[in-house]
Amino acid sequence: MAPGSEINKASKLKTLLLKYRAEIGKVVALDLNAANVIKLDFSQANALLTTEALQQTETFDKLVNQMLQEKEAVAGIGGYLENRIIYRRSNLFEETEPRSMHLGIDIWTAGGTSVFAPLPGLVHSFQNNASFGDYGPTIILQHQLEDLIFYTLYGHLNVACLEDLKEGQTIEKGQRIAAFGPFPENGDWPPHLHFQLITDLKGMRGDFPGVCKPSEKESFATSCPDPNLILQSRHL
């Protein structure tokens, strides 16, 4: 798709999601506007994110829980277009220019938390991206608003959610599609959901970049608009 077409599609998607805002359902079994949900920072500005804290997933998990407990929170949210240092824990993101720019929104809370489809759609594709630091079990749904087709991606899920899925399967709004996976089956991360909005999958199935190089931020931000158009959290 030409760059101009992608920009037009992203703009149209934003317009439609705002138009149908009241008809969008929840993505997780939490009130993302509640006072006990906080914004979490995983950029270099967070001094708690030392190399030692990030190396072992169990230690990283304790750190996430510490950040929540200090604010008496049950969940943390954030990360869209955040330049993060947490990807240094995995060789998956190491390139000449390391990938560090996050393209989705993460919701950090207890493993087993239910994940729902916010809009009706179809199962586009799914797979277990099992490398250390990857998405782990991943589902991509295809949706349509008026004449516009777009996609939502759900990463770091539980392995069991993939067992009975079929490509092309109809998914109803509000249908439970998965749960937050525990580590290590979720790509070996502290339990959280990576939620991403995508206008063009560029031929990919069961996977799509959730982190890009800082130099690619502008182009990826066009094909991956702000997921808060669906999540509608006041904390972002």
Side-chain angles (χ1 to χ4, degrees), residues 19-75:
K19 177 180 178 180
Y20 293 102
R21 180 181 177 91
E23 299 177 30
I24 298 174
K26 62 184 179 180
V27 171
V28 294
L30 293 167
D31 178 1
L32 296 180
N33 290 300
N36 60 0
V37 174
I38 62 170
K39 186 175 181 180
L40 289 182
D41 179 356
F42 288 101
S43 73
Q44 196 162 0
N46 187 340
L48 296 174
L49 301 177
T50 63
T51 300
E52 294 74 18
L54 297 175
Q55 278 181 336
Q56 300 297 322
T57 306
E58 185 174 356
T59 306
F60 188 9
D61 183 54
K62 289 179 180 177
L63 177 60
V64 172
N65 286 323
Q66 174 190 331
M67 290 190 287
L68 295 177
Q69 290 166 6
E70 286 178 352
K71 300 292 185 180
E72 298 183 346
V74 299

Side-chain angles (χ1 to χ4, degrees), residues 198-211:
I198 305 166
T199 59
D200 181 5
L201 285 168
K202 305 182 189 302
M204 299 188 69
R205 308 192 71 82
D207 193 13
F208 191 84
V211 184

Side-chain angles (χ1 to χ4, degrees), residues 41-44 46 49-50 54-55 60 63-64 67 82-90 93-94 99-100 102 106 108 132-133 189-190 192 211:
D41 179 356
F42 288 101
S43 73
Q44 196 162 0
N46 187 340
L49 301 177
T50 63
L54 297 175
Q55 278 181 336
F60 188 9
L63 177 60
V64 172
M67 290 190 287
E82 181 175 69
N83 195 350
R84 293 176 157 184
I85 64 170
I86 57 175
Y87 303 115
R88 296 177 185 174
R89 64 193 299 265
S90 170
F93 305 96
E94 289 301 320
R99 293 190 294 130
S100 60
H102 191 239
D106 285 343
W108 305 77
F132 173 68
W189 290 91
H192 71 288
V211 184

